[in-house]
Amino acid sequence: DIVLTQSPDSLAVSLGERATINCRSSQSVLSSSTNKNYLAWYQQNPGQPPKLLIYWASTRASGVPDRFSGSGSGTDFTLTISSLQAEDVAVYSCQQYYTTPWTFGQGTKVEIK
Amino acid sequence: QVQLQESGPGLVKASETLSLTCIASGSSISSHHWSWIRQAPGKGLEWIGYIYYSGSTNYNPSLKSRVTISVDTSKNQFSLKLSSVSAADTAMYYCARGGLGATAGLFDLWGQGTLVTVSS
């Protein structure tokens, strides 16, 4: 199985400041045939199901504010929230859909400092 | 508006079979891949398995021996059965829609989830 390890487990950021979450994969999720990274990010607000934020490592899902951005390739990925808003308090998880079993990172909790 | 809604018992006895159903509204189940995903309290997400409307399935090897996912296209729903449950199966269970082809494992629509507790 592909293991995804996120860092940090939690972080507290002031409103308007940048939040950065890392996701490292135990093996590459970059397809040589499509040149795409099969890596997604989800946001999970308390008591809610996950919501798709980013796919193909850097493509924002429909309706996602542009303060959210994804980057990285191969085994190392980053989710950045450029200017943290109150509604961004949530748990963020990365997920690989490169090969089954599809797997998720353990999640990173983002709070307001 | 496309929605998924899980239903089933919230309490299951240890060693028995957990059974859940997910009904899709606003979207035909005769397309896309349809998955079950769970989240134990305070833990990360775990993919359980998927079914395609044709009936083809793929299960997480860690649960494969105990999982059955089925689909009923006439009712626009799919179901999960997990046998021989234990306390370790206590979790929020979500149904989710995956894409087609290379995005089968990309989940763009989720149900609200249903909490299943396994009692001894």
Side-chain angles (χ1 to χ4, degrees), chain A residues 9 11 21 27 35 38 47 56 104-105 111:
Chain A
D9 288 333
L11 74 161
I21 301 168
Q27 63 188 79
N35 200 35
Y38 287 59
W56 299 132
F104 295 82
E111 299 173 308

Side-chain angles (χ1 to χ4, degrees), chain B residues 25-100:
Chain B
S25 57
S27 172
S28 172
I29 208 161
S30 296
S31 67
H32 295 88
H33 290 78
W34 304 92
S35 281
W36 287 97
I37 297 161
R38 70 181 183 179
Q39 186 170 35
K43 301 294 185 181
L45 296 156
E46 179 182 31
W47 173 72
I48 298 170
Y50 78 67
I51 190 163
Y52 190 53
Y53 78 96
S54 62
S56 63
T57 56
N58 189 316
Y59 301 139
N60 192 323
S62 68
L63 298 166
K64 188 174 183 177
S65 64
R66 299 193 291 129
V67 172
T68 302
I69 299 177
S70 58
V71 65
D72 186 337
T73 54
S74 68
K75 295 182 179 179
N76 220 41
Q77 66 185 41
F78 61 107
S79 300
L80 168 71
K81 290 188 184 298
L82 181 65
S83 64
S84 304
V85 298
S86 69
D89 297 308
T90 292
M92 183 72 78
Y93 285 76
Y94 296 100
C95 58
R97 184 179 72 180
L100 296 172

Side-chain angles (χ1 to χ4, degrees), chain A residues 2 9 12 17-18 21 24 28-29 40 43 49-50 53 57 62-63 67 72 96-97 99-100 103 111 113:
Chain A
I2 294 178
D9 288 333
E17 296 300 305
R18 180 185 299 263
I21 301 168
R24 174 162 288 177
S28 177
V29 297
Q43 175 193 60
L53 282 182
S62 176
R67 64 179 180 274
Q96 65 81 18
Y97 49 104
T99 186
T100 58
T103 51
E111 299 173 308
K113 184 187 292 183

